[in-house]
Amino acid sequence: MSLFSRFMDGWRKYRKPGYYDEFDYHWTMTIDLDKCTGCEACVTACQAENNIPVVGEDEMAKGREMQWIRIERYWEGEYPNAKLSFIPMMCQHCDAAPCETVCPVGATYHNQDGLNAQIYNRCIGTRACAVYCPYEVRYFNYYDHEWDSPLEQQLNPDVTVRGKGVMEKCTFCIQRIRQAKDVAKDDDRRRVQDGEMQPACVQTCPTKALVFGDRKDHESQVYKSMNDPRNYRVLDELNTDSSVFYLKKVDA
Amino acid sequence: MNISIVPALKVLRPAAMLVIVILVGLVLGYWANATFVPGNSPEQPIAFSHKIHAGDNEVPCLYCHTQARRSPSAGVPAVSKCVGCHLEVATEKPQIRLLMSYWENREPIPWIKVHDLPDFVHFTHKRHVLANIECQTCHGPVETMDRITVSSRAVNGSAQVGHPWKMGLCLSCHRENEVVNGIDCLTCHK
């Protein structure tokens, strides 16, 4: 078999729906929009956990903001009958991710746990992935960001401080997943149990609108939540097969 | 016939200048490298010898680096650990007196880190020690070193002294031992 046909076989297998079923985990998140109050606690928690820089007013005006999770606001109607709804938006960890097909150096790829990985030291900063991403959740480091002293003391040592020219995005808190797997291994347990590990945004959500877990575990909270009749996925018509499920807001 | 050396000089002078500039640059570079870059075997504040401790007296690595089996970082022993033995052992030697001066001033010893990984690499000593990997597999024959030198694991499994670690060394071992998800990027990169 030639190298090319081997490559193409691997590629077809990789893009086929259900490919990730043969592995141990398939990390998934659900977001209940009925419970979301738009308080942005998740945004702050993410900022603290993942060493995300504060870019400042001028850079923000140029559209160079950094927030791996953001709250989008939607207004409906006119005052006094205006209605406001929120939707938290972060990397959807699509199983058929458009960003992965375009990276020329393979810095972003899908790993066996259903995570869309971003490998910072391999990234050369073409920003093609950000163009391909339909959710607009990839953020680029235009500068080497600095933390005013003593703020650099609160940086998370388990997360890289990204340098200039590197693309970054939500990782589902890979450092916490790794930690949970480490603990599970110590206890001679094969799998990480439900609720053992939560990303920073899920942990901090005051209304418990965000649920995180392993889709493979059918007893898990996230499995029940993602099969809720209200569930939908953002831009599902693009066939991205994303791992973040939203539960629709129901008007009373 | 009137032969002038002026045209020859016109060619040679810039060439000679270039050679001199390059030579001066090389000398300056060598000096700066030797002076400011710690290199693979920096001089430590106390001339601690792993050869005497781990080699001649066969102190186990984990006796001093106790954190290696419990945490990602192997840890440098506290001064109290050294003093635990050296209140009794070899108290008259000048290096031990230096050690005791740190102890009496209640100051940590400013050891210089030799084996350092880049910021974007996650490595946990715990998992590797619990998998019964010899320390020497990655750190080289530390028990023969008077001063610690960077060393890395060669592809054939033997330790190469004087070479910093590269990703291929991690991967070759992960491949040989068929580590579960061992060659996935996210296993080590963060």
Side-chain angles (χ1 to χ4, degrees):
Chain A
M1 203 193 280
S2 76
L3 194 67
F4 179 72
S5 62
R6 258 200 0 237
F7 174 79
M8 288 311 290
D9 274 5
W11 183 253
R12 280 188 208 106
K13 191 176 151 199
Y14 166 70
R15 302 299 285 188
K16 210 170 71 183
Y19 170 61
Y20 300 102
D21 290 347
E22 60 185 275
F23 299 105
D24 278 353
Y25 301 98
H26 195 159
W27 301 113
T28 307
M29 188 183 283
T30 63
I31 300 174
D32 192 338
L33 297 180
D34 239 354
K35 288 183 187 167
C36 178
T37 61
C39 70
E40 305 220 15
C42 47
V43 179
T44 314
C46 181
Q47 197 102 7
E49 171 77 16
N50 291 304
N51 301 342
I52 301 171
V54 178
V55 294
E57 221 172 306
D58 297 341
E59 291 298 302
M60 189 88 182
K62 291 177 191 163
R64 296 175 178 178
E65 81 274 22
M66 297 278 215
Q67 34 182 218
W68 289 2
I69 180 169
R70 62 169 189 262
I71 305 285
E72 294 182 354
R73 288 188 307 183
Y74 292 96
W75 291 95
E76 278 174 61
E78 288 293 318
Y79 181 81
N81 296 317
K83 253 193 327 194
L84 179 58
S85 56
F86 303 101
I87 175 166
M89 182 55 66
M90 82 288 264
C91 175
Q92 308 283 307
H93 292 266
C94 318
D95 283 353
C99 56
E100 290 166 11
T101 57
V102 72
C103 183
V105 292
T108 182
Y109 74 101
H110 224 66
N111 90 338
Q112 71 284 336
D113 291 350
L115 294 175
N116 179 265
Q118 175 72 24
I119 308 301
Y120 304 121
N121 51 317
R122 200 182 255 186
C123 178
I124 57 170
T126 63
R127 289 180 273 158
C129 51
V131 176
Y132 269 50
C133 177
Y135 305 98
E136 305 262 322
V137 287
R138 290 177 155 266
Y139 301 95
F140 186 69
N141 285 279
Y142 283 89
Y143 297 100
D144 273 329
H145 296 283
E146 279 174 18
W147 280 261
D148 296 335
S149 182
L151 287 178
E152 82 279 357
Q153 302 281 335
Q154 57 90 48
L155 291 175
N156 186 349
D158 292 332
V159 180
T160 317
V161 176
R162 283 81 53 185
K164 181 167 73 178
V166 170
M167 189 60 75
E168 60 182 63
K169 61 158 199 75
C170 161
T171 60
F172 271 174
C173 285
I174 179 65
Q175 68 279 9
R176 295 188 178 202
I177 295 176
R178 201 185 276 128
Q179 173 76 21
K181 282 184 178 175
D182 194 59
V183 171
K185 220 170 189 175
D186 278 347
D187 293 355
D188 288 328
R189 274 188 279 138
R190 203 177 64 80
R191 292 168 61 91
V192 177
Q193 287 165 0
D194 189 35
E196 197 174 5
M197 176 267 152
Q198 287 178 322
C201 52
V202 178
Q203 189 183 15
T204 199
C205 184
T207 56
K208 301 271 176 275
L210 282 67
V211 176
F212 182 82
D214 177 19
R215 196 192 301 185
K216 295 277 175 61
D217 177 6
H218 288 194
E219 297 301 309
S220 70
Q221 209 191 338
V222 77
Y223 184 79
K224 286 168 191 156
S225 180
M226 69 183 260
N227 288 312
D228 190 287
R230 290 185 289 139
N231 94 76
Y232 76 101
R233 293 191 281 191
V234 175
L235 300 181
D236 206 16
E237 65 274 18
L238 299 178
N239 283 328
T240 50
D241 201 3
S242 67
S243 297
V244 179
F245 291 77
Y246 290 85
L247 305 187
K248 204 176 170 196
K249 184 169 182 160
V250 180
D251 285 332
Chain B
M1 216 172 131
N2 187 12
I3 298 171
S4 168
I5 61 162
V6 172
L9 270 183
K10 268 188 183 159
V11 180
L12 283 178
R13 196 176 287 154
M17 288 294 280
L18 193 65
V19 169
I20 290 170
V21 166
I22 290 173
L23 278 178
V24 169
L26 284 175
V27 170
L28 267 179
Y30 179 81
W31 171 80
N33 188 39
T35 316
F36 298 117
V37 180
N40 289 338
S41 183
E43 200 171 332
Q44 300 287 356
I46 292 180
F48 175 86
S49 168
H50 276 86
K51 183 174 179 292
I52 295 173
H53 291 82
D56 301 346
N57 293 310
E58 295 179 358
V59 180
C61 306
L62 292 177
Y63 180 78
C64 298
H65 299 284
T66 45
Q67 305 307 317
R69 61 171 166 253
R70 300 189 192 112
S71 85
S73 161
V76 175
V79 181
S80 59
K81 192 79 158 186
C82 311
V83 172
C85 292
H86 280 294
L87 274 180
E88 305 292 334
V89 182
T91 48
E92 291 309 304
K93 291 189 177 168
Q95 292 297 324
I96 306 303
R97 290 203 173 146
L98 191 54
L99 167 74
M100 293 311 287
S101 73
Y102 281 106
W103 174 247
E104 277 148 22
N105 294 335
R106 303 202 161 264
E107 279 173 8
I109 305 167
W111 299 111
I112 297 162
K113 193 166 186 180
V114 178
H115 289 99
D116 202 4
L117 280 172
D119 199 21
F120 47 77
V121 180
H122 163 85
F123 174 83
T124 162
H125 275 90
K126 176 176 141 189
R127 284 264 78 85
H128 292 84
V129 171
L130 291 180
N132 295 322
I133 312 257
E134 293 280 325
C135 305
Q136 286 87 341
T137 316
C138 301
H139 289 284
V142 172
E143 72 279 4
T144 64
M145 293 177 191
D146 268 328
R147 194 159 88 194
I148 284 289
T149 302
V150 168
S151 73
S152 64
R153 182 183 174 279
V155 178
N156 63 12
S158 64
Q160 275 184 313
V161 176
H163 293 265
W165 292 313
K166 296 223 167 106
M167 193 174 98
L169 307 172
C170 307
L171 278 179
S172 67
C173 196
H174 276 197
R175 281 208 176 97
E176 277 166 34
N177 296 309
E178 293 173 359
V179 179
V180 180
N181 301 333
I183 57 168
D184 179 42
C185 307
L186 280 185
T187 304
C188 307
H189 286 292
K190 55 183 190 182

